[in-house]
């Protein structure tokens, strides 16, 4: 069986071709191959699957030069406004095992390139800024467990790293997050946002998704955020939130908003979502 879509077009614009070839091998097995240059990308896949039992499958897919601004019109999500960012990704995906039993399925996702870069408005003095991977991003799936083997993103004054494991069914997580992010990057991606300062996060997340235990700290350093649609924003926010399992302690948090100042301290017990021993002053 050969299925081809040549000259895929939307609103008179040609987006390229897609071809899928599938051939039976025996009574219940099929070999398949995919090739596409959709929206200027290069996509190639191949594999085989058994059409019985737990539907075991073995497949590989590679993709290169997948670009957001070229795909957006094809997806029907374009607003007609000039794009505010560009995203590009290259990578490979492999899958092996029974498609109907995720606990026995194995797979890998390897991204050699992942970047998101702002596109300044015409006449703006803002320079392009973005975040990209630092080394390959590698995620694996084995016996129902997703493992973040290597995830690191960097940008201007920004580093974000994640490692650990999580079950597909949400029964258990063991993740470590480290981030030192420049909040000023946000305003590069939207003219409706004014932002400044930085946020530093070092935390571990363990346990089930429904009731995770979080340990670590979140620190705000001269942080500011204001959205054009809101009356007030936050500026010059400084302080630390310490996470200890089911609770979070606010230490010497201060900020400015609406022409006044805000200070806060205390802790929150997340087991009953109740605020305990709070201390809040606004002026």
């Amino acid at each position: 069986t050969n299925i081809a879509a040549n000259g895929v077009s939307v609103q008179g614009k040609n987006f390229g071709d897609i071809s899928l070839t599938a051939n039976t091998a025996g009574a219940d097995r099929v070999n398949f191959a995919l090739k596409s240059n959709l929206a200027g990308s290069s996509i190639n896949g191949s594999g085989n699957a058994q059409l019985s039992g737990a539907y075991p499958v073995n497949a590989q897919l590679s993709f290169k030069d997948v670009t957001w601004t070229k795909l957006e019109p094809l997806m029907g999500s374009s607003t007609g406004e000039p794009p505010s960012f560009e995203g590009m990704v290259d990578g490979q995906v492999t899958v092996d095992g029974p498609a109907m039993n995720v606990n026995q399925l194995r797979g890998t996702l390897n991204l050699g390139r992942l970047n998101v870069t702002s596109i300044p408005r015409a006449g703006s003095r803002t320079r392009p800024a973005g975040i990209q991977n630092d080394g390959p991003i590698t995620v694996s799936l084995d016996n129902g467990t997703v493992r973040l083997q290597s995830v690191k993103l960097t940008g201007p004054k920004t580093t974000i790293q994640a490692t650990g494991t999580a079950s597909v069914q949400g029964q258990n997580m063991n993740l470590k997050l480290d981030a030192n992010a420049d909040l000023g990057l946000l305003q590069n991606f939207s003219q409706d946002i004014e932002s400044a300062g930085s946020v530093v996060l070092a935390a571990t997340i363990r346990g089930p998704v429904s009731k995770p235990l979080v340990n670590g700290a979140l620190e705000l350093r001269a942080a500011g955020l204001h959205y054009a649609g809101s009356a007030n924003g936050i500026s010059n926010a400084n302080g630390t939130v310490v996470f200890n399992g089911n609770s979070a302690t606010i230490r010497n948090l201060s900020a400015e908003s609406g022409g006044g100042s805000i200070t806060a301290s205390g802790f929150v017990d997340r087991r009953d979502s109740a605020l305990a021993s709070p201390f809040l002053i606004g002026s």
Side-chain angles (χ1 to χ4, degrees):
T1 301
N2 295 318
I3 301 174
N6 297 319
V8 177
S9 63
V10 175
Q11 297 180 349
K13 183 177 180 180
N14 191 330
F15 282 88
D17 308 323
I18 305 174
S19 66
L20 174 64
T21 302
N23 300 303
T24 57
D28 61 355
R29 182 167 292 276
V30 60
N31 299 318
F32 51 85
L34 171 70
K35 186 174 183 179
S36 174
N37 61 0
L38 199 64
S41 64
S42 176
I43 302 174
N44 293 278
S46 62
N48 59 78
Q50 183 175 315
L51 305 179
S52 62
Y55 294 89
V57 61
N58 181 285
Q60 308 82 38
L61 178 71
S62 64
F63 46 92
K64 186 178 180 180
D65 297 329
V66 178
T67 306
W68 169 247
T69 56
K70 294 180 180 179
L71 282 175
E72 186 182 17
L74 184 62
M75 298 171 63
S77 58
S78 178
T79 62
E81 295 290 329
S84 60
F85 71 93
E86 178 64 283
M88 300 187 70
V89 61
D90 302 334
Q92 304 85 34
V93 177
T94 66
V95 178
D96 182 32
M100 301 301 292
N101 188 345
V102 70
N103 288 326
Q104 296 181 17
L105 198 62
R106 297 176 300 279
T108 60
L109 169 65
N110 189 294
L111 301 181
R113 175 173 63 164
L114 174 64
N115 62 55
V116 180
T117 305
S118 64
I119 301 176
R121 296 280 183 176
S124 171
R125 296 183 179 180
T126 304
R127 294 184 177 181
I131 295 178
Q132 59 281 322
N133 60 304
D134 184 353
I137 293 176
T138 305
V139 182
S140 65
L141 170 65
D142 190 11
N143 296 324
T145 298
V146 176
R147 182 179 299 276
L148 305 181
Q149 296 177 316
S150 176
V151 179
K152 184 177 181 180
L153 303 174
T154 61
K157 301 179 183 179
T158 297
T159 301
I160 302 171
Q161 296 185 80
T163 57
T165 61
S167 64
V168 174
Q169 298 177 345
Q171 298 173 342
N172 191 46
M173 293 186 298
N174 187 356
L175 302 174
K176 181 180 179 181
L177 303 176
D178 290 287
N180 189 333
D182 179 13
L183 293 178
L185 280 175
L186 295 176
Q187 62 187 11
N188 289 87
F189 292 89
S190 174
Q191 61 181 353
D192 294 327
I193 294 177
E194 293 182 9
S195 57
S198 62
V199 57
V200 179
L201 172 67
T204 60
I205 305 173
R206 296 187 174 93
V209 174
S210 58
K211 294 182 179 180
L213 297 177
V214 182
N215 290 277
L218 172 70
E219 183 181 357
L220 300 175
R221 298 177 179 176
L225 183 63
H226 181 266
Y227 186 71
S230 62
N232 294 317
I234 296 292
S235 62
N236 199 30
N238 294 277
T240 303
V241 180
V242 178
F243 303 99
N244 186 13
N246 285 312
S247 66
T249 302
I250 303 172
R251 293 182 178 175
N252 301 322
L253 178 64
S254 64
E256 299 173 2
S257 179
S261 61
I262 299 172
T263 60
S265 61
F267 71 92
V268 177
D269 189 335
R270 295 188 298 109
R271 285 172 293 190
D272 56 9
S273 299
L275 179 65
S277 301
F279 182 70
L280 177 66
I281 298 177
S283 62

